[in-house]
């Protein structure tokens, strides 16, 4: 594949003939006319007819370039409408894959056919999914050019729909409320159908290894992060670009460590939807023995657990048998998507960064990636999250201490409580084994919404709240600082310049020593 270069440039509008407004360059030769007409329609819907485009730039005469111009004699009232429209279009073009086809879809005036744990569900007709080669849990862009809205939606089939009609959940329905024209677009991705065990040397750093054939695809986007998603279960984890390694392996193979395989359910799923269950049935229709095994454990979307499998014989033999059958059916189907969201880049001032570095030095920093699940039922209205006891120990904090949870640039603070009742967690989640809670964090729905988490079974990053730990230990720090000041004053006198300088030097040193216990709780060397 040729390297793709997508550029969006905005020029200030001046009253000169044919002033360039937007330029898009892309050497994959997309259907520029279709994209151009969609953008032109946005202006015309606002009564602005004074826009035209060319499939090249009059200033650069580059091929494969789409350039929009504004006419000289545009009325002032229409001129003022142009600016926000251009800004909206600019934001959209940065987030979508402009070389992919845009399909206009129509919202159906009804609710989702069933409950889903995801809030970003879009139900489509089976006919539409077949025509555009979409699968359940695939991520697509839903776009409103006029409002500047781009949302990632999770595809689900709905047998009662037809044509290009779609249904959204209440949250996204409100976002697109009043939208005149909505477009759907497939996101670029890589599919992996085989999972291999990661090399021992790459396990600790959390590396993911893929084929060298995908290196150009990874490099062309310039994204800091990529989403690795099990399309059959919907479980996902974000992978930093610097954690992706390339090797001479099959292009359909991806190497993962045990943590990645566990949170992505890459070995055996806990549950199989009716859509994929039917797909597996078609692939196994000539082998009744294998089909009966899958039917026994996964029919009617029933959930499997370790205890259930043990009741039916040797647990490990059953798991290996199910895994082998599922692999023949194309499980797992892991998909890698680029994350283009601008929210990944947190705009922090220099002072905030400096304070954070100082806190790192005095308190110590540690981050752990965990899979988001539901908390106890009684926690849903509280500002608390549930963590296992071992996770609290790894973070070096006590129960009721604050933690910071991050997901794609969004951060929230919450109080950490221990998961001390496995049965209470099982009441709200599907857990394969009791020990699975060690890689999970229970987050209430309203906190998930603040984080931008559209679903459970998605991984987020947890870290200790360093500012909170500093405040918590203020009593120890105060006594150590006071003792240092008194000792220096007595030795050098109250007005001594040398004494004052020593105070300034020894106060940070005293703080550092007094907080050694807090830092040592996360030291592993």
């Amino acid at each position: 594949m040729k390297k793709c270069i997508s550029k969006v440039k905005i020029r200030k509008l001046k009253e000169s003939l044919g002033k360039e407004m937007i330029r898009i360059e892309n050497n994959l030769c997309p259907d520029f006319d279709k994209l151009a007409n969609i953008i032109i329609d946005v202006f015309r819907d606002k009564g602005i007819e004074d826009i035209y485009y060319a499939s090249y730039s009059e200033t650069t005469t580059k091929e494969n370039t789409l350039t929009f111009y504004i006419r000289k004699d545009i009325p002032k009232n229409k001129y003022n409408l142009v600016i926000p429209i251009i800004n909206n279009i600019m934001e959209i073009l940065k987030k979508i894959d402009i070389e992919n086809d845009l399909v206009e879809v129509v919202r159906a005036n009804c609710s989702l056919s069933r409950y889903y744990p995801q809030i970003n569900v879009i139900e489509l007709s089976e006919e539409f999914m077949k025509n555009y080669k979409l699968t359940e849990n695939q991520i697509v862009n839903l776009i409103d050019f006029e409002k500047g809205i781009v949302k990632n939606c999770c595809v689900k089939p709905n047998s009662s729909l037809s044509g290009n009609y779609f249904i959204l959940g209440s949250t996204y329905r409100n976002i697109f409320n009043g939208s005149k024209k909505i477009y759907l677009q497939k996101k670029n991705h890589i599919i992996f159908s085989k999972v291999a065990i990661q090399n021992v040397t790459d396990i600790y750093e959390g590396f993911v290894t893929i084929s060298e054939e995908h290196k150009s695809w990874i490099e062309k986007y310039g994204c800091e992060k990529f989403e690795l998603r099990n399309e059959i279960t919907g479980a996902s984890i974000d992978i930093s670009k610097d954690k992706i390694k390339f090797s001479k392996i099959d292009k359909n193979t991806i190497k993962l460590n045990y943590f990645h395989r566990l949170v992505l359910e890459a070995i055996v799923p806990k549950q199989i939807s009716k859509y994929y269950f039917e797909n597996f049935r078609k692939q196994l229709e000539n082998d009744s023995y294998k089909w009966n095994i899958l039917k026994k454990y996964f029919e009617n979307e029933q959930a499997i657990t370790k205890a259930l499998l043990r009741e039916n014989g040797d647990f490990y033999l059953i798991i290996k048998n199910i895994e082998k059958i599922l692999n023949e059916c194309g499980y797992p189907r892991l998909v890698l998507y680029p994350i283009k969201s601008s929210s990944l880049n947190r705009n922090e001032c220099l002072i905030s960064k400096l304070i954070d570095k100082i806190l790192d030095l005095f308190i110590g920093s540690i981050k752990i990636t965990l899979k988001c699940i539901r908390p106890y039922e009684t926690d849903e209205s509280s500002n608390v999250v549930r963590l296992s006891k071992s996770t609290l120990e790894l973070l070096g904090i006590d129960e009721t201490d604050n933690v910071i949870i991050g997901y794609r640039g969004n951060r929230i603070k919450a109080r950490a409580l221990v998961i001390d009742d496995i049965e209470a967690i099982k009441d709200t989640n599907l857990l394969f084994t009791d020990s699975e809670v060690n890689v999970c964090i229970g987050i209430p729905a309203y906190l998930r919404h603040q984080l931008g988490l559209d679903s459970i079974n998605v991984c987020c990053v947890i870290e200790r709240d360093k500012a909170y730990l500093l405040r918590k230990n203020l009593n120890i720090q105060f006594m150590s600082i006071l003792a240092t000041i008194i000792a220096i004053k007595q030795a050098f006198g109250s007005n001594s310049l040398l004494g004052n300088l020593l105070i300034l030097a020894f106060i940070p040193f005293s703080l550092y020593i007094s907080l050694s216990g807090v830092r040592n709780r996360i030291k592993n060397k």
Side-chain angles (χ1 to χ4, degrees):
M1 180 182 288
K2 295 181 179 180
K3 186 176 180 182
C4 168
I5 303 174
S6 301
K7 295 182 181 178
V8 181
K9 295 184 179 179
I10 299 297
R11 307 284 183 169
K12 289 184 179 179
L13 299 181
K14 296 181 180 179
E15 291 191 7
S16 59
L17 181 62
K19 185 61 184 178
E20 181 179 301
M21 295 192 307
I22 306 174
R23 185 197 306 170
I24 309 167
E25 298 173 8
N26 189 296
N27 63 358
L28 290 182
C29 300
D31 186 353
F32 272 147
D33 286 336
K34 184 173 183 178
L35 176 61
N37 286 324
I38 289 173
I39 294 175
I40 291 294
D41 284 343
V42 173
F43 288 101
R44 288 176 179 170
D45 287 343
K46 292 290 186 179
I48 302 170
E49 302 285 344
D50 307 286
I51 306 293
Y52 67 100
Y53 75 94
S55 57
Y56 59 89
S57 170
E58 293 179 1
T59 57
T60 64
T61 64
K62 288 184 179 180
E63 295 182 356
N64 305 324
T65 301
L66 179 61
T67 309
F68 290 87
Y69 300 92
I70 184 169
R71 298 185 189 280
K72 175 183 177 181
D73 54 351
I74 182 172
K76 188 174 182 180
N77 62 329
K78 293 183 179 180
Y79 172 89
N80 293 333
L81 291 174
V82 169
I83 301 296
I85 296 175
I86 290 175
N87 291 335
N88 288 342
I89 293 173
M90 179 187 70
E91 287 302 313
I92 287 176
L93 294 175
K94 290 177 181 178
K95 296 176 182 177
I96 68 173
D97 300 309
I98 63 172
E99 63 270 22
N100 290 349
D101 191 24
L102 291 159
V103 183
E104 187 174 356
V105 288
V106 182
R107 185 169 54 191
N109 189 24
C110 53
S111 301
L112 294 173
S113 61
R114 55 173 293 184
Y115 166 77
Y116 299 100
Q118 304 96 334
I119 65 170
N120 63 334
V121 164
I122 177 171
E123 287 188 340
L124 299 168
S125 69
E126 294 175 351
E127 171 193 2
F128 186 92
M129 289 177 63
K130 183 178 180 181
N131 290 339
Y132 289 94
K133 298 180 180 179
L134 297 173
T135 55
E136 185 178 71
N137 292 325
Q138 184 170 343
I139 299 298
V140 296
N141 288 323
L142 201 61
I143 307 164
D144 181 343
F145 280 92
E146 182 179 339
K147 292 184 176 181
I149 300 172
V150 180
K151 291 295 180 181
N152 292 337
C153 291
C154 177
V155 172
K156 299 286 185 180
N158 185 326
S159 57
S160 64
L161 289 175
S162 61
N164 61 342
Y165 281 89
F166 71 93
I167 303 173
L168 295 175
S170 59
T171 302
Y172 275 36
R173 189 164 60 243
N174 292 334
I175 293 173
F176 286 93
N177 187 34
S179 295
K180 296 178 181 178
K181 291 184 178 181
I182 301 175
Y183 295 89
L184 184 144
Q185 184 193 56
K186 293 172 70 173
K187 290 173 64 72
N188 287 337
H189 58 270
I190 303 173
I191 298 175
F192 303 98
S193 57
K194 298 177 183 178
V195 176
I197 298 174
Q198 183 60 282
N199 300 331
V200 175
T201 53
D202 295 329
I203 289 176
Y204 177 75
E205 295 294 337
F207 284 110
V208 167
T209 304
I210 61 178
S211 171
E212 288 181 341
E213 295 182 39
H214 300 307
K215 188 172 184 179
S216 60
W217 188 90
I218 295 292
E219 294 292 340
K220 78 178 182 180
Y221 287 104
C223 300
E224 293 181 8
K225 289 180 178 285
F226 292 79
E227 179 186 5
L228 184 59
R229 182 180 183 85
N230 186 339
E231 208 162 79
I232 295 177
T233 66
S236 77
I237 183 172
D238 290 351
I239 306 293
S240 298
K241 183 181 177 182
D242 58 4
K243 295 296 183 181
I244 299 177
K245 277 193 168 184
F246 304 96
S247 180
K248 294 181 179 179
I249 58 176
D250 180 69
K251 67 177 183 179
N252 297 317
T253 299
I254 182 169
K255 287 186 175 183
L256 303 174
N257 61 32
Y258 182 73
F259 172 77
H260 292 143
R261 300 198 302 275
L262 181 62
V263 297
L264 291 171
E265 300 179 34
I267 303 170
V268 172
K270 302 186 192 76
Q271 191 178 46
I272 297 178
S273 68
K274 291 180 179 179
Y275 174 88
Y276 284 107
F277 187 75
E278 181 63 21
N279 286 352
F280 295 163
R281 184 192 66 78
K282 292 177 182 178
Q283 296 181 61
L284 297 173
E285 59 185 358
N286 296 325
D287 195 327
S288 58
Y289 170 74
K290 293 178 181 178
W291 167 242
N292 286 332
I293 291 176
L294 284 192
K295 186 177 179 181
K296 179 179 180 180
Y297 295 109
F298 295 104
E299 190 175 24
N300 297 323
E301 298 187 355
Q302 66 176 323
I304 64 168
T305 63
K306 190 174 183 179
L308 175 66
L309 296 180
R310 277 179 171 168
E311 292 175 2
N312 290 272
D314 189 308
F315 167 73
Y316 293 102
L317 288 178
I318 295 174
I319 281 291
K320 283 297 179 184
N321 199 14
I322 293 175
E323 182 183 2
K324 184 178 179 181
I325 295 170
L326 287 173
N327 288 343
E328 293 178 14
C329 298
Y331 187 90
R333 180 185 169 91
L334 299 182
V335 184
L336 193 67
Y337 294 100
I339 302 174
K340 295 185 176 182
S341 175
S342 57
S343 63
L344 284 175
N345 300 319
R346 295 174 57 213
N347 295 321
E348 291 182 321
C349 65
L350 184 61
I351 295 176
S352 296
K353 291 180 180 179
L354 179 61
I355 292 174
D356 193 58
K357 291 292 184 183
I358 293 172
L359 289 173
D360 278 349
L361 176 65
F362 283 88
I363 302 295
S365 178
I366 183 171
K367 296 181 180 181
I368 299 176
T369 300
L370 298 174
K371 181 170 73 171
C372 172
I373 60 174
R374 298 183 184 92
Y376 295 174
E377 291 179 342
T378 54
D379 293 339
E380 284 294 349
S381 60
S382 304
N383 187 40
V384 299
V385 294
R386 291 282 175 175
L387 299 164
S388 70
K389 185 177 180 180
S390 62
T391 301
L392 289 178
E393 292 172 352
L394 285 172
L395 289 170
I397 61 175
D398 301 315
E399 189 173 10
T400 72
D401 283 351
N402 284 354
V403 292
I404 297 175
I405 308 148
Y407 179 73
R408 298 188 182 178
N410 300 317
R411 287 158 62 93
I412 62 169
K413 291 182 181 181
R415 181 170 293 184
L417 297 180
V418 174
I419 299 175
D420 52 8
D421 188 347
I422 295 296
E423 294 305 318
I425 281 289
K426 286 182 176 179
D427 287 342
T428 55
N429 297 279
L430 299 178
L431 296 180
F432 188 69
T433 63
D434 293 352
S435 61
E436 193 177 339
V437 297
N438 291 320
V439 296
C440 297
I441 175 172
I443 306 177
Y446 83 96
L447 289 180
R448 296 199 300 269
H449 180 68
Q450 291 178 17
L451 265 178
L453 278 168
D454 293 323
S455 175
I456 57 173
N457 297 325
V458 176
C459 290
C460 52
V461 177
I462 293 83
E463 59 182 305
R464 59 195 334 210
D465 186 346
K466 292 169 289 191
Y468 168 84
L469 292 175
L470 182 66
R471 294 193 301 271
K472 182 181 176 180
N473 291 274
L474 274 177
N475 58 328
I476 302 173
Q477 299 157 29
F478 175 77
M479 295 305 296
S480 63
I481 292 171
L482 184 61
T484 301
I485 293 175
I486 292 174
I488 293 175
K489 289 293 185 181
Q490 288 180 342
F492 294 92
S494 59
N495 296 322
S496 170
L497 177 61
L498 179 60
N500 291 334
L501 291 176
L502 285 174
I503 288 173
L504 292 176
F506 274 97
I507 283 177
F509 179 74
S510 178
L511 281 173
Y512 187 81
I513 296 299
S514 66
L515 291 170
S516 61
V518 180
R519 291 193 306 277
N520 289 337
R521 294 187 69 175
I522 59 171
K523 294 293 183 182
N524 60 358
K525 292 183 181 180

